[in-house]
Amino acid sequence: MNSLAPYHSFSLQSSAQSIVFIESLDQLSKIEWTNDTWILGAGTNTIFTSNYSGSVLINQLKSLTITESDTDWLIDVAAGENWHSLVEKLINEGIPGLENLALIPGSVGAAPVQNIGAYGVEISRYIESVQVYNFKSHEFVKMNNSDCNFEYRDSVFKQPENSHLLITSVQFKLPKHWLPVLEYPDLQSLPNDATAEMIMQHVIQVRKAKLPDPDEIPNAGSFFKNPVISSAQYQSLLSNFPDMPAFVLDKNKVKLAAGWLIDRAGLKPLRVGDAAVHQRQALVLINKGQASGADLLTLARNICNTVKEKYGVELEPEVRLLGENGLLAQL
Ligand SMILES: Cc1cc2nc3c(=O)[nH]c(=O)nc-3n(C[C@H](O)[C@H](O)[C@H](O)COP(=O)(O)OP(=O)(O)OC[C@H]3O[C@@H](n4cnc5c(N)ncnc54)[C@H](O)[C@@H]3O)c2cc1C
């Protein structure tokens, strides 16, 4: 039956034509790539909204090597390692840097794909290189940070034409001269001399208070990206919504809080079947048990339409939504 429900954290009932677990690099050359093959890590940012007609490769490569230069820690991690376990292990070994990104679910290999970020830090800051296996040429290729085109929740790996690139390991460079990043509002209660361990524990606490644990309430984290709009549009929105929060990106652009837009549009009570908006964090959509892909897509469309009508702002999914034949081109 090849059920995908256990392999994606939104846990919709769905299945794949076949599921292959990647446990060693030797397996890769024997895999024949077809356009409907989908690479999966822990499935915490991917939602299978229907049965999938292709095969799914689940990356479970494991290894960790730590070396050092005079100035930096150099961490080489296989893509199937758990992200949060890596953060904890490094902090416990006295290697700071990733503490703001604690408790983000998922695998190390998916971290570069959407350039994971939280509490004022994006992982692209610390990625030295990414090793990939190209299923079309059957070669390993090392990509440097600048080859990855990292942007807000985006990278070269998210482009559909690169779906045949399997990230096998990631190389991080963490400076020994460490400085805490405490600018994010949720971290401002910490003292300026907070240690990495203190920051990690604080981030864990804040996240546990705000976000549903996917093991208890199936979800895929932020369903939508925070929309980026022009400063001029923001200024005009402020006349109707004077308390609308925004993060200034540069003199022409600001990033809005999608959760705030959804909440203030009165959409928290919205529910379609068992697909619903989370009550503590409106940016997270949840599966209350038996949601179907159609329920979720209808809910997401309703949210987008209402937000567009109320503020003139387009919401775009942050999660990877798959239908029968692959990535959905639109909601
Ligand atoms: C409760 C919750 C909170 C979250 N909070 C945050 C947050 O604060 N910040 C944030 O950025 N994200 C957050 N997320 C999203 C998610 O945790 C991250 O995107 C994470 O990196 C996904 O890892 P994964 O292994 O589950 O990826 P998957 O869902 O398995 O895959 C995600 C994408 O990466 C691709 N991919 C996965 N592995 C590989 C590989 N080895 N090679 C090539 N492509 C690959 C997949 O094809 C897919 O396109 C949250 C999710 C949840 C459920």
mmCIF file of all heavy atoms in Angstrom, residues 9 38-46 59 79 104-107 109-111 113-118 153 165-167 207 211-212 214 219-222 318 320, ligand 1:
data_model
loop_
_atom_site.group_PDB
_atom_site.id
_atom_site.type_symbol
_atom_site.label_atom_id
_atom_site.label_comp_id
_atom_site.label_asym_id
_atom_site.label_seq_id
_atom_site.Cartn_x
_atom_site.Cartn_y
_atom_site.Cartn_z
ATOM 1 N N SER A 9 4.438 15.091 8.299
ATOM 2 C CA SER A 9 3.920 15.442 9.620
ATOM 3 C C SER A 9 2.487 15.972 9.589
ATOM 4 O O SER A 9 1.863 16.111 10.635
ATOM 5 C CB SER A 9 4.851 16.453 10.307
ATOM 6 O OG SER A 9 4.889 17.643 9.558
ATOM 7 N N TRP A 38 10.177 11.764 -6.074
ATOM 8 C CA TRP A 38 10.178 12.886 -5.115
ATOM 9 C C TRP A 38 11.116 12.557 -3.952
ATOM 10 O O TRP A 38 11.026 11.477 -3.375
ATOM 11 C CB TRP A 38 8.757 13.142 -4.585
ATOM 12 C CG TRP A 38 8.710 14.325 -3.658
ATOM 13 C CD1 TRP A 38 8.691 14.293 -2.292
ATOM 14 C CD2 TRP A 38 8.723 15.707 -4.036
ATOM 15 N NE1 TRP A 38 8.683 15.578 -1.798
ATOM 16 C CE2 TRP A 38 8.702 16.459 -2.839
ATOM 17 C CE3 TRP A 38 8.751 16.377 -5.258
ATOM 18 C CZ2 TRP A 38 8.702 17.850 -2.834
ATOM 19 C CZ3 TRP A 38 8.760 17.776 -5.248
ATOM 20 C CH2 TRP A 38 8.729 18.492 -4.048
ATOM 21 N N ILE A 39 11.984 13.517 -3.631
ATOM 22 C CA ILE A 39 12.926 13.323 -2.514
ATOM 23 C C ILE A 39 12.278 13.842 -1.232
ATOM 24 O O ILE A 39 11.723 14.945 -1.200
ATOM 25 C CB ILE A 39 14.244 14.092 -2.786
ATOM 26 C CG1 ILE A 39 14.948 13.493 -4.005
ATOM 27 C CG2 ILE A 39 15.145 14.082 -1.561
ATOM 28 C CD1 ILE A 39 16.102 14.337 -4.525
ATOM 29 N N LEU A 40 12.366 13.052 -0.184
ATOM 30 C CA LEU A 40 11.758 13.443 1.096
ATOM 31 C C LEU A 40 12.788 13.272 2.221
ATOM 32 O O LEU A 40 13.618 12.359 2.181
ATOM 33 C CB LEU A 40 10.553 12.524 1.352
ATOM 34 C CG LEU A 40 9.551 12.960 2.420
ATOM 35 C CD1 LEU A 40 8.841 14.244 2.017
ATOM 36 C CD2 LEU A 40 8.513 11.857 2.659
ATOM 37 N N GLY A 41 12.706 14.186 3.205
ATOM 38 C CA GLY A 41 13.503 14.009 4.420
ATOM 39 C C GLY A 41 12.557 13.482 5.483
ATOM 40 O O GLY A 41 12.046 12.364 5.389
ATOM 41 N N ALA A 42 12.256 14.341 6.491
ATOM 42 C CA ALA A 42 11.335 13.913 7.548
ATOM 43 C C ALA A 42 9.888 14.290 7.231
ATOM 44 O O ALA A 42 8.986 14.038 8.030
ATOM 45 C CB ALA A 42 11.759 14.528 8.873
ATOM 46 N N GLY A 43 9.664 14.962 6.108
ATOM 47 C CA GLY A 43 8.286 15.279 5.688
ATOM 48 C C GLY A 43 7.598 16.320 6.562
ATOM 49 O O GLY A 43 6.369 16.357 6.634
ATOM 50 N N THR A 44 8.360 17.225 7.191
ATOM 51 C CA THR A 44 7.719 18.230 8.049
ATOM 52 C C THR A 44 7.417 19.526 7.295
ATOM 53 O O THR A 44 6.868 20.459 7.866
ATOM 54 C CB THR A 44 8.580 18.568 9.292
ATOM 55 O OG1 THR A 44 9.786 19.192 8.853
ATOM 56 C CG2 THR A 44 8.912 17.326 10.089
ATOM 57 N N ASN A 45 7.813 19.572 6.024
ATOM 58 C CA ASN A 45 7.496 20.750 5.218
ATOM 59 C C ASN A 45 6.834 20.337 3.898
ATOM 60 O O ASN A 45 6.759 21.123 2.964
ATOM 61 C CB ASN A 45 8.790 21.534 4.941
ATOM 62 C CG ASN A 45 8.535 22.963 4.546
ATOM 63 O OD1 ASN A 45 7.586 23.564 5.012
ATOM 64 N ND2 ASN A 45 9.368 23.498 3.673
ATOM 65 N N THR A 46 6.360 19.109 3.856
ATOM 66 C CA THR A 46 5.791 18.538 2.630
ATOM 67 C C THR A 46 4.430 17.947 2.962
ATOM 68 O O THR A 46 4.296 17.277 3.984
ATOM 69 C CB THR A 46 6.709 17.397 2.122
ATOM 70 O OG1 THR A 46 8.025 17.918 1.944
ATOM 71 C CG2 THR A 46 6.209 16.819 0.812
ATOM 72 N N ASN A 59 15.326 10.058 2.524
ATOM 73 C CA ASN A 59 16.755 10.124 2.839
ATOM 74 C C ASN A 59 17.014 9.814 4.312
ATOM 75 O O ASN A 59 16.534 10.524 5.199
ATOM 76 C CB ASN A 59 17.236 11.546 2.502
ATOM 77 C CG ASN A 59 18.628 11.788 2.991
ATOM 78 O OD1 ASN A 59 19.413 10.861 3.122
ATOM 79 N ND2 ASN A 59 18.925 13.021 3.302
ATOM 80 N N ALA A 79 22.863 14.120 5.365
ATOM 81 C CA ALA A 79 21.578 14.805 5.214
ATOM 82 C C ALA A 79 20.441 14.163 5.995
ATOM 83 O O ALA A 79 19.444 14.818 6.292
ATOM 84 C CB ALA A 79 21.216 14.873 3.732
ATOM 85 N N ILE A 104 13.637 23.233 15.341
ATOM 86 C CA ILE A 104 12.994 23.189 14.014
ATOM 87 C C ILE A 104 12.957 21.713 13.623
ATOM 88 O O ILE A 104 13.986 21.046 13.619
ATOM 89 C CB ILE A 104 13.776 24.019 12.971
ATOM 90 C CG1 ILE A 104 13.770 25.499 13.363
ATOM 91 C CG2 ILE A 104 13.182 23.825 11.575
ATOM 92 C CD1 ILE A 104 14.479 26.424 12.396
ATOM 93 N N PRO A 105 11.758 21.186 13.322
ATOM 94 C CA PRO A 105 11.713 19.761 12.993
ATOM 95 C C PRO A 105 12.356 19.489 11.627
ATOM 96 O O PRO A 105 12.515 20.409 10.833
ATOM 97 C CB PRO A 105 10.213 19.449 12.938
ATOM 98 C CG PRO A 105 9.495 20.679 13.319
ATOM 99 C CD PRO A 105 10.445 21.826 13.261
ATOM 100 N N GLY A 106 12.683 18.239 11.390
ATOM 101 C CA GLY A 106 13.144 17.873 10.052
ATOM 102 C C GLY A 106 14.585 17.412 10.009
ATOM 103 O O GLY A 106 15.252 17.269 11.033
ATOM 104 N N SER A 107 15.037 17.189 8.788
ATOM 105 C CA SER A 107 16.365 16.618 8.569
ATOM 106 C C SER A 107 17.375 17.710 8.223
ATOM 107 O O SER A 107 16.996 18.801 7.774
ATOM 108 C CB SER A 107 16.293 15.613 7.410
ATOM 109 O OG SER A 107 15.902 16.293 6.224
ATOM 110 N N GLY A 109 19.395 17.600 5.721
ATOM 111 C CA GLY A 109 19.433 17.773 4.265
ATOM 112 C C GLY A 109 18.391 18.731 3.734
ATOM 113 O O GLY A 109 18.566 19.337 2.676
ATOM 114 N N ALA A 110 17.284 18.880 4.463
ATOM 115 C CA ALA A 110 16.239 19.803 4.000
ATOM 116 C C ALA A 110 16.537 21.236 4.443
ATOM 117 O O ALA A 110 15.935 22.177 3.913
ATOM 118 C CB ALA A 110 14.879 19.367 4.536
ATOM 119 N N ALA A 111 17.446 21.413 5.400
ATOM 120 C CA ALA A 111 17.687 22.764 5.934
ATOM 121 C C ALA A 111 18.124 23.758 4.845
ATOM 122 O O ALA A 111 17.619 24.882 4.797
ATOM 123 C CB ALA A 111 18.702 22.701 7.076
ATOM 124 N N VAL A 113 17.367 23.577 1.704
ATOM 125 C CA VAL A 113 16.368 23.648 0.631
ATOM 126 C C VAL A 113 15.532 24.914 0.785
ATOM 127 O O VAL A 113 15.396 25.699 -0.145
ATOM 128 C CB VAL A 113 15.472 22.385 0.604
ATOM 129 C CG1 VAL A 113 14.373 22.519 -0.448
ATOM 130 C CG2 VAL A 113 16.306 21.138 0.355
ATOM 131 N N GLN A 114 14.982 25.124 1.998
ATOM 132 C CA GLN A 114 14.207 26.362 2.150
ATOM 133 C C GLN A 114 14.959 27.358 3.034
ATOM 134 O O GLN A 114 14.385 28.282 3.551
ATOM 135 C CB GLN A 114 12.797 26.071 2.653
ATOM 136 C CG GLN A 114 12.640 25.729 4.100
ATOM 137 C CD GLN A 114 11.302 26.235 4.636
ATOM 138 O OE1 GLN A 114 10.577 26.955 3.961
ATOM 139 N NE2 GLN A 114 10.983 25.864 5.857
ATOM 140 N N ASN A 115 16.273 27.134 3.177
ATOM 141 C CA ASN A 115 17.097 28.073 3.963
ATOM 142 C C ASN A 115 16.400 28.360 5.289
ATOM 143 O O ASN A 115 15.968 29.491 5.554
ATOM 144 C CB ASN A 115 17.331 29.353 3.147
ATOM 145 C CG ASN A 115 18.224 30.340 3.875
ATOM 146 O OD1 ASN A 115 18.946 29.980 4.812
ATOM 147 N ND2 ASN A 115 18.169 31.589 3.438
ATOM 148 N N ILE A 116 16.306 27.305 6.120
ATOM 149 C CA ILE A 116 15.518 27.428 7.357
ATOM 150 C C ILE A 116 15.966 28.640 8.173
ATOM 151 O O ILE A 116 17.147 28.992 8.199
ATOM 152 C CB ILE A 116 15.561 26.147 8.237
ATOM 153 C CG1 ILE A 116 16.994 25.756 8.598
ATOM 154 C CG2 ILE A 116 14.807 25.021 7.599
ATOM 155 C CD1 ILE A 116 17.056 24.707 9.708
ATOM 156 N N GLY A 117 15.007 29.225 8.851
ATOM 157 C CA GLY A 117 15.317 30.408 9.632
ATOM 158 C C GLY A 117 14.385 30.531 10.813
ATOM 159 O O GLY A 117 13.253 30.024 10.777
ATOM 160 N N ALA A 118 14.867 31.140 11.873
ATOM 161 C CA ALA A 118 14.030 31.417 13.041
ATOM 162 C C ALA A 118 14.788 32.357 13.969
ATOM 163 O O ALA A 118 16.018 32.316 14.039
ATOM 164 C CB ALA A 118 13.687 30.122 13.787
ATOM 165 N N ARG A 153 13.529 31.754 2.746
ATOM 166 C CA ARG A 153 12.827 30.465 2.542
ATOM 167 C C ARG A 153 12.960 29.944 1.111
ATOM 168 O O ARG A 153 12.027 29.357 0.561
ATOM 169 C CB ARG A 153 11.335 30.586 2.896
ATOM 170 C CG ARG A 153 11.061 30.922 4.328
ATOM 171 C CD ARG A 153 11.499 29.820 5.283
ATOM 172 N NE ARG A 153 11.145 30.183 6.632
ATOM 173 C CZ ARG A 153 11.894 30.956 7.419
ATOM 174 N NH1 ARG A 153 13.055 31.420 6.980
ATOM 175 N NH2 ARG A 153 11.492 31.234 8.640
ATOM 176 N N LEU A 165 18.363 16.712 -7.714
ATOM 177 C CA LEU A 165 19.570 16.861 -6.888
ATOM 178 C C LEU A 165 19.263 16.424 -5.460
ATOM 179 O O LEU A 165 18.466 17.060 -4.766
ATOM 180 C CB LEU A 165 20.044 18.319 -6.878
ATOM 181 C CG LEU A 165 20.421 18.930 -8.237
ATOM 182 C CD1 LEU A 165 20.860 20.379 -8.058
ATOM 183 C CD2 LEU A 165 21.522 18.114 -8.917
ATOM 184 N N LEU A 166 19.889 15.334 -5.048
ATOM 185 C CA LEU A 166 19.703 14.861 -3.660
ATOM 186 C C LEU A 166 20.848 15.415 -2.819
ATOM 187 O O LEU A 166 22.029 15.165 -3.128
ATOM 188 C CB LEU A 166 19.742 13.325 -3.616
ATOM 189 C CG LEU A 166 19.783 12.729 -2.213
ATOM 190 C CD1 LEU A 166 18.387 12.679 -1.606
ATOM 191 C CD2 LEU A 166 20.387 11.341 -2.202
ATOM 192 N N ILE A 167 20.520 16.165 -1.804
ATOM 193 C CA ILE A 167 21.556 16.642 -0.884
ATOM 194 C C ILE A 167 21.967 15.455 -0.015
ATOM 195 O O ILE A 167 21.125 14.830 0.637
ATOM 196 C CB ILE A 167 21.024 17.808 -0.019
ATOM 197 C CG1 ILE A 167 20.698 18.990 -0.936
ATOM 198 C CG2 ILE A 167 22.023 18.202 1.063
ATOM 199 C CD1 ILE A 167 19.993 20.154 -0.253
ATOM 200 N N ARG A 207 9.174 28.180 21.545
ATOM 201 C CA ARG A 207 8.569 27.412 20.457
ATOM 202 C C ARG A 207 7.512 26.455 20.993
ATOM 203 O O ARG A 207 6.465 26.292 20.397
ATOM 204 C CB ARG A 207 9.644 26.644 19.679
ATOM 205 C CG ARG A 207 10.593 27.540 18.896
ATOM 206 C CD ARG A 207 11.548 26.710 18.055
ATOM 207 N NE ARG A 207 10.837 26.056 16.988
ATOM 208 C CZ ARG A 207 10.798 26.483 15.719
ATOM 209 N NH1 ARG A 207 11.472 27.548 15.357
ATOM 210 N NH2 ARG A 207 10.113 25.830 14.814
ATOM 211 N N LEU A 211 3.979 26.830 19.260
ATOM 212 C CA LEU A 211 3.738 25.978 18.089
ATOM 213 C C LEU A 211 3.253 24.595 18.483
ATOM 214 O O LEU A 211 3.750 24.020 19.455
ATOM 215 C CB LEU A 211 5.039 25.833 17.285
ATOM 216 C CG LEU A 211 5.548 27.103 16.629
ATOM 217 C CD1 LEU A 211 6.982 26.937 16.157
ATOM 218 C CD2 LEU A 211 4.654 27.483 15.458
ATOM 219 N N PRO A 212 2.313 24.036 17.724
ATOM 220 C CA PRO A 212 1.855 22.687 18.046
ATOM 221 C C PRO A 212 2.922 21.641 17.697
ATOM 222 O O PRO A 212 3.598 21.767 16.680
ATOM 223 C CB PRO A 212 0.629 22.521 17.144
ATOM 224 C CG PRO A 212 0.836 23.470 16.014
ATOM 225 C CD PRO A 212 1.654 24.608 16.536
ATOM 226 N N PRO A 214 4.055 18.449 16.113
ATOM 227 C CA PRO A 214 3.439 17.625 15.059
ATOM 228 C C PRO A 214 3.136 16.190 15.507
ATOM 229 O O PRO A 214 2.252 15.560 14.941
ATOM 230 C CB PRO A 214 4.475 17.620 13.933
ATOM 231 C CG PRO A 214 5.499 18.612 14.291
ATOM 232 C CD PRO A 214 5.359 18.980 15.729
ATOM 233 N N ASN A 219 0.752 18.807 11.724
ATOM 234 C CA ASN A 219 0.871 20.111 11.060
ATOM 235 C C ASN A 219 2.204 20.153 10.333
ATOM 236 O O ASN A 219 3.027 19.247 10.491
ATOM 237 C CB ASN A 219 0.755 21.245 12.093
ATOM 238 C CG ASN A 219 2.008 21.422 12.930
ATOM 239 O OD1 ASN A 219 2.904 22.157 12.565
ATOM 240 N ND2 ASN A 219 2.106 20.713 14.069
ATOM 241 N N ALA A 220 2.400 21.180 9.536
ATOM 242 C CA ALA A 220 3.649 21.301 8.777
ATOM 243 C C ALA A 220 4.308 22.652 9.049
ATOM 244 O O ALA A 220 4.966 23.232 8.186
ATOM 245 C CB ALA A 220 3.379 21.111 7.288
ATOM 246 N N GLY A 221 4.110 23.177 10.254
ATOM 247 C CA GLY A 221 4.693 24.483 10.602
ATOM 248 C C GLY A 221 3.984 25.598 9.855
ATOM 249 O O GLY A 221 2.792 25.481 9.513
ATOM 250 N N SER A 222 4.715 26.672 9.570
ATOM 251 C CA SER A 222 4.102 27.823 8.874
ATOM 252 C C SER A 222 3.592 27.366 7.519
ATOM 253 O O SER A 222 4.372 26.890 6.692
ATOM 254 C CB SER A 222 5.136 28.923 8.643
ATOM 255 O OG SER A 222 5.704 29.282 9.863
ATOM 256 N N GLU A 318 4.319 28.277 2.060
ATOM 257 C CA GLU A 318 5.722 27.972 2.367
ATOM 258 C C GLU A 318 5.947 26.463 2.244
ATOM 259 O O GLU A 318 7.021 26.000 1.887
ATOM 260 C CB GLU A 318 6.059 28.442 3.793
ATOM 261 C CG GLU A 318 7.476 28.075 4.206
ATOM 262 C CD GLU A 318 7.846 28.539 5.606
ATOM 263 O OE1 GLU A 318 7.583 29.695 5.959
ATOM 264 O OE2 GLU A 318 8.412 27.716 6.344
ATOM 265 N N ARG A 320 5.602 22.570 0.850
ATOM 266 C CA ARG A 320 5.599 21.967 -0.487
ATOM 267 C C ARG A 320 4.345 21.115 -0.590
ATOM 268 O O ARG A 320 4.204 20.128 0.133
ATOM 269 C CB ARG A 320 6.835 21.088 -0.686
ATOM 270 C CG ARG A 320 8.063 21.627 -0.074
ATOM 271 C CD ARG A 320 8.971 22.519 -0.859
ATOM 272 N NE ARG A 320 8.692 23.079 -2.117
ATOM 273 C CZ ARG A 320 9.459 22.932 -3.201
ATOM 274 N NH1 ARG A 320 10.480 22.138 -3.181
ATOM 275 N NH2 ARG A 320 9.205 23.584 -4.296
HETATM 276 C C1 LIG B 1 6.048 22.640 14.049
HETATM 277 C C2 LIG B 1 6.926 23.088 12.920
HETATM 278 C C3 LIG B 1 7.699 24.207 13.068
HETATM 279 C C4 LIG B 1 8.544 24.638 12.022
HETATM 280 N N1 LIG B 1 9.306 25.749 12.208
HETATM 281 C C5 LIG B 1 10.124 26.192 11.224
HETATM 282 C C6 LIG B 1 10.937 27.346 11.404
HETATM 283 O O1 LIG B 1 10.951 27.964 12.459
HETATM 284 N N2 LIG B 1 11.718 27.739 10.375
HETATM 285 C C7 LIG B 1 11.758 27.069 9.189
HETATM 286 O O2 LIG B 1 12.506 27.490 8.296
HETATM 287 N N3 LIG B 1 11.013 25.964 8.998
HETATM 288 C C8 LIG B 1 10.199 25.509 9.969
HETATM 289 N N4 LIG B 1 9.415 24.403 9.781
HETATM 290 C C9 LIG B 1 9.456 23.722 8.468
HETATM 291 C C10 LIG B 1 10.399 22.487 8.453
HETATM 292 O O3 LIG B 1 10.723 22.083 9.737
HETATM 293 C C11 LIG B 1 11.695 22.787 7.709
HETATM 294 O O4 LIG B 1 11.412 23.220 6.394
HETATM 295 C C12 LIG B 1 12.604 21.556 7.633
HETATM 296 O O5 LIG B 1 13.848 21.923 7.073
HETATM 297 C C13 LIG B 1 11.988 20.437 6.806
HETATM 298 O O6 LIG B 1 12.789 19.283 6.961
HETATM 299 P P1 LIG B 1 12.253 17.884 6.437
HETATM 300 O O7 LIG B 1 13.384 16.925 6.483
HETATM 301 O O8 LIG B 1 11.047 17.487 7.199
HETATM 302 O O9 LIG B 1 11.884 18.258 4.941
HETATM 303 P P2 LIG B 1 10.826 17.588 3.958
HETATM 304 O O10 LIG B 1 9.468 18.080 4.264
HETATM 305 O O11 LIG B 1 11.028 16.126 3.911
HETATM 306 O O12 LIG B 1 11.299 18.225 2.584
HETATM 307 C C14 LIG B 1 11.195 19.610 2.397
HETATM 308 C C15 LIG B 1 11.730 19.962 0.993
HETATM 309 O O13 LIG B 1 13.095 19.644 0.936
HETATM 310 C C16 LIG B 1 13.349 18.674 -0.077
HETATM 311 N N5 LIG B 1 14.361 17.778 0.467
HETATM 312 C C17 LIG B 1 14.329 17.145 1.675
HETATM 313 N N6 LIG B 1 15.470 16.460 1.861
HETATM 314 C C18 LIG B 1 16.222 16.664 0.760
HETATM 315 C C19 LIG B 1 17.506 16.226 0.351
HETATM 316 N N7 LIG B 1 18.263 15.435 1.113
HETATM 317 N N8 LIG B 1 17.977 16.624 -0.855
HETATM 318 C C20 LIG B 1 17.240 17.440 -1.659
HETATM 319 N N9 LIG B 1 16.023 17.886 -1.331
HETATM 320 C C21 LIG B 1 15.516 17.504 -0.131
HETATM 321 C C22 LIG B 1 12.016 18.006 -0.342
HETATM 322 O O14 LIG B 1 11.944 17.528 -1.686
HETATM 323 C C23 LIG B 1 11.070 19.152 -0.113
HETATM 324 O O15 LIG B 1 11.018 19.966 -1.261
HETATM 325 C C24 LIG B 1 8.589 23.922 10.802
HETATM 326 C C25 LIG B 1 7.809 22.769 10.659
HETATM 327 C C26 LIG B 1 6.990 22.343 11.708
HETATM 328 C C27 LIG B 1 6.171 21.102 11.545
#
